[in-house]
Amino acid sequence: MTILPQELKTLIDSKADFLLLDVREEWEYEEYHIGGLNIPLNSLPFRLKEIASWKSKMIVIHCKAGTRGRTGTKYLLKHGFLVVKNLEGGVQAFIETFPKAVLN
């Protein structure tokens, strides 16, 4: 499942109840981000308890360009999370579309 940058922006603007999960490395997140929880992809298997309350709620997962996000999406779905969407094109696509959304 994927979500487009415009759809994510609508969720953010409407203050929808969802978890934005950034699976980039910590240093990437510190460089710039769009908010959300940072759990690097390689740490995800060890930190599932942190997001367990989101098992039946929407999670939007992203990385820089989409590859790690796809891997993370598949992993969460395999482990019982029901509504997981990968940001198409990653955070790069989102900030190209919405440059003012970048946080440092």
Side-chain angles (χ1 to χ4, degrees):
M1 295 186 98
T2 61
I3 186 169
L4 298 172
Q6 297 83 352
E7 294 171 311
L8 175 56
K9 182 76 163 81
T10 299
L11 287 175
I12 292 168
D13 290 348
S14 69
K15 300 184 189 314
D17 187 24
F18 74 100
L19 173 63
L20 181 60
L21 181 59
D22 187 331
V23 294
R24 297 177 302 148
E25 294 298 318
E26 289 177 20
W27 67 267
E28 291 175 286
Y29 184 85
E30 289 171 6
E31 208 171 74
Y32 68 90
H33 60 89
I34 57 173
L37 176 63
N38 177 228
I39 300 179
L41 183 61
N42 62 357
S43 299
L44 195 55
F46 310 105
R47 296 178 62 185
L48 287 180
K49 285 183 181 179
E50 291 178 45
I51 59 172
S53 64
W54 290 93
K55 271 203 168 186
S56 61
K57 299 176 187 175
M58 183 188 299
I59 297 174
V60 175
I61 192 169
H62 77 81
C63 61
K64 183 176 181 181
T67 304
R68 288 175 282 178
R70 271 191 301 280
T71 302
T73 298
K74 290 176 187 175
Y75 183 84
L76 291 181
L77 289 170
K78 183 179 173 182
H79 286 84
F81 289 82
L82 302 177
V83 186
V84 186
K85 297 183 179 193
N86 180 37
L87 178 59
E88 186 80 23
V91 72
Q92 281 184 322
F94 188 83
I95 62 175
E96 285 173 14
T97 308
F98 305 102
K100 293 182 180 179
V102 176
L103 304 171
N104 332 48

